Amino acid sequence: MRMTATSDAATQAIELLTALVRVDSINPMGRPRSARYPVERKAIEVIEDWLTPYRHRLTLERQSCSPEHENLVIRLAGLSDRPVGLFEAHLDTVPADDWAERALCPVLDGEDLVGRGACDDKGSVVAMVLALTRLVETDTVPPRPIVLVCAGDEEYAQTGIKHFRTALREEIGYGIFGEPTRLHPVVQHKGTIRWDLTVHGASAHTSRPELGFNAVLGMVQVIAALGRYQEKLQREWRNPYMTGPLVTVTMIHGGRTRNATPDECTIAIDFRVLPDMNPDSEKNALIDYLSEVTDLRITHGANQLMTPPLNTNPASPFCERVLAACRQVAGDGIELRGAPYGTDAAWVSDLCPAVVLGPGDIASAHAVDERISIREVVDAAKIYQRIMLDLHTL
Ligand SMILES: [Zn+2]
């Protein structure tokens, strides 16, 4: 039986995605790992093998980001050497401890492929690779060079995109970052900053607590003040695409023994800011607020993490044309959106206009029985290909 062009694309998508899900590229997320090769190596080898018939037109480069992480950078020359079109999706996945026995055994369930990483983010990787290979198969030269980064370590410290940026040789014209957005272009997302805050007290025997100062009780005041601060920020800052700023206490520790007032209490803060806000200056403003509304002795740790927000102008010609490409393939229901989570896009969005756009539903990412619709992967490949060919005048 002769297959149609569509089913041919679906067959290719299933084949490459199955091969990628089957290999372990689980990010240790800071935990110890016994393997002596980078987390992404096996997935990179799968893509390198897949690209063997296309090597005459593509340049492949493994980029070592750290002893643990690696990128694969694939380049396709264009008609001109204008600023490149950047496509990026990540090869690492979150762990699958709660369904380990089947997470790396991909299966088809109707039109969905199920397995760890199918949706986040190997479906996007597959769609980008297939968009590129389709250009080679049809002898099409895009108007500008295309750089596809299959990145490492998105899920933990983003060393992949940060290293790519440091090693960057080309000027970037635009960036498309594949993450599960159901094919809606995400133009803005929040930024995040995390650090530890400690209230200092003084220990005393619990029979004479008035001789010390209970740091846990001091922390109760701080947590209440953080709640009021979040309300204030939510009144002052709004964004049509997403909920307001969020200050969340995620961990708490205080006290040393059961019979002394605690001399220290520490919390971990996760602070999510809107696209117009700067994470570092918002941290400083929060610190100032606490020193105004309490007279506690408080110290603040260094940033455990800072990821910038994404703040692309939705009215820009870039966004209009990306949206048009999505609608041509996936219908008029596609709209520009925002997201409450962070992505690698934020790390280059000061260099070029960038959107997050890919197949799959974020609700399935990081979940048990993670899945992706193969039809959406095929549609994403068509959208990426249109963008590769159409966005030449930006
Ligand atoms: Zn992801």
Side-chain angles (χ1 to χ4, degrees):
M1 189 183 79
R2 218 182 131 79
M3 287 197 290
T4 65
T6 312
S7 68
D8 200 20
T11 306
Q12 283 194 329
I14 291 168
E15 201 180 315
L16 180 54
L17 188 52
T18 300
L20 279 173
V21 170
R22 195 171 279 139
V23 296
D24 180 341
S25 59
I26 292 175
N27 196 317
M29 314 293 284
R31 302 185 296 193
R33 175 171 173 270
S34 54
R36 306 183 84 173
Y37 50 85
V39 168
E40 297 79 14
R41 174 63 61 82
K42 299 277 176 206
I44 286 176
E45 287 171 353
V46 167
I47 297 172
E48 287 172 340
D49 274 358
W50 180 270
L51 292 177
T52 303
Y54 308 95
R55 292 292 261 273
H56 59 292
R57 290 270 310 278
L58 302 174
T59 314
L60 274 61
E61 177 198 356
R62 287 184 189 174
Q63 271 186 346
S64 173
C65 313
S66 71
E68 288 236 295
H69 295 289
E70 197 169 51
N71 293 332
L72 176 66
V73 182
I74 308 162
R75 290 183 169 85
L76 173 66
L79 285 171
S80 79
D81 56 1
R82 269 192 291 232
V84 304
L86 173 66
F87 290 74
E88 193 250 31
H90 63 92
L91 292 170
D92 62 314
T93 72
V94 292
D97 300 349
D98 40 359
W99 57 307
E101 69 294 344
R102 61 183 195 282
L104 303 184
C105 304
V107 290
L108 270 177
D109 176 16
E111 69 158 29
D112 291 352
L113 193 136
V114 182
R116 173 52 85 225
C119 171
D120 185 12
D121 192 32
K122 291 173 175 175
S124 286
V125 171
V126 167
M128 288 180 172
V129 168
L130 293 184
L132 208 57
T133 53
R134 182 65 66 185
L135 294 184
V136 177
E137 279 167 359
T138 55
D139 258 332
T140 310
V141 181
R144 63 168 83 203
I146 302 297
V147 175
L148 167 51
V149 182
C150 301
D153 196 28
E154 188 273 348
E155 295 287 2
Y156 188 63
Q158 300 86 47
T159 47
I161 188 67
K162 289 180 193 168
H163 179 83
F164 171 76
R165 183 186 169 127
T166 310
L168 194 60
R169 307 197 287 263
E170 304 96 334
E171 212 182 314
I172 306 176
Y174 64 85
I176 306 289
F177 289 78
E179 288 280 2
T181 69
R182 306 283 330 254
L183 305 179
H184 296 277
V186 165
V187 292
Q188 297 183 356
H189 65 59
K190 289 183 181 177
T192 305
I193 189 160
R194 295 188 187 132
W195 75 98
D196 288 348
L197 176 162
T198 299
V199 171
H200 300 271
S203 52
H205 197 283
T206 43
S207 64
R208 297 290 308 277
E210 72 280 8
L211 298 178
F213 179 77
N214 188 329
V216 168
L217 294 182
M219 188 59 84
V220 171
Q221 290 178 47
V222 169
I223 292 172
L226 290 176
R228 292 193 298 277
Y229 191 67
Q230 175 181 278
E231 285 171 21
K232 175 174 122 67
L233 287 181
Q234 290 186 351
R235 284 193 300 273
E236 290 169 0
W237 295 88
R238 282 168 209 255
N239 180 293
Y241 293 117
M242 63 196 78
T243 57
L246 294 169
V247 184
T248 305
V249 176
T250 53
M251 294 191 285
I252 185 162
H253 179 80
R256 297 174 197 274
T257 68
R258 292 173 188 273
N259 58 358
T261 55
D263 65 326
E264 270 188 12
C265 184
T266 299
I267 55 172
I269 297 180
D270 174 290
F271 188 6
R272 308 240 162 195
V273 304
L274 290 183
D276 290 330
M277 303 163 84
N278 175 296
D280 283 303
S281 37
E282 291 304 324
K283 175 186 174 183
N284 290 334
L286 182 152
I287 291 171
D288 290 347
Y289 174 82
L290 287 178
S291 61
E292 278 165 30
V293 299
T294 76
D295 50 11
L296 299 161
R297 198 155 71 79
I298 299 173
T299 55
H300 296 267
N303 294 344
Q304 182 271 330
L305 170 140
M306 193 291 289
T307 57
L310 177 67
N311 193 13
T312 303
N313 176 6
S316 61
F318 165 71
C319 286
E320 277 170 24
R321 285 160 64 184
V322 168
L323 180 62
C326 293
R327 285 182 171 166
Q328 278 159 2
V329 173
D332 288 341
I334 298 294
E335 57 191 14
L336 299 180
R337 289 195 174 168
Y341 52 82
T343 72
D344 274 355
W347 290 105
V348 298
S349 61
D350 58 326
L351 302 178
C352 64
V355 297
V356 185
L357 167 64
D361 191 332
I362 192 69
S364 186
H366 303 197
V368 172
D369 289 326
E370 174 178 349
R371 62 179 56 231
I372 196 163
S373 147
I374 291 297
R375 188 181 41 79
E376 259 181 56
V377 175
V378 171
D379 280 353
K382 289 182 194 160
I383 291 170
Y384 294 146
Q385 199 190 327
R386 269 175 195 269
I387 294 172
M388 288 172 183
L389 295 175
D390 290 354
L391 265 66
H392 52 85
T393 54
L394 289 166

